[in-house]
Amino acid sequence: MDVNVTPARTQRGTWILSDLLRRPVGQIAQILDGEFVIHPTQGSRLSGIKSGPYPSLDAALSAIETHTRGQCQLSSSNEDLPLEP
């Protein structure tokens, strides 16, 4: 499964994870400088992934690619995503 990775509009240091049909599969959050955690959406293909912490965003994305056997596509556009609460 390929995953789109998009910066959240309202939460700095947070990335929204969605599948190619734009269904939510989770989030990545920067918890400290240089530490990132993955929060999978319950019941998604990311369920069961090690949450972290990971030493970089790239390391978290690599873990997602390994877990899903797909690719992460980093997007700078968030215009089509809903606002996060």
Side-chain angles (χ1 to χ4, degrees), residues 43-85:
S44 75
R45 291 273 310 268
L46 287 182
S47 292
I49 192 169
K50 178 183 177 249
S51 63
Y54 294 94
S56 67
L57 180 59
D58 285 339
L61 297 178
S62 180
I64 291 169
E65 289 177 339
T66 299
H67 184 80
T68 62
R69 295 185 177 111
Q71 293 183 349
C72 288
Q73 300 169 3
L74 190 57
S75 171
S76 61
S77 171
N78 56 14
E79 59 196 34
D80 295 331
L81 293 174
L83 286 172
E84 291 300 306

Side-chain angles (χ1 to χ4, degrees), residues 1 4-5 18 21-22 25-26 29 40 45-46 48 54 56 68 79:
M1 174 183 82
N4 290 318
V5 181
S18 59
L21 296 176
R22 297 204 177 271
V25 296
R45 291 273 310 268
L46 287 182
Y54 294 94
S56 67
T68 62
E79 59 196 34

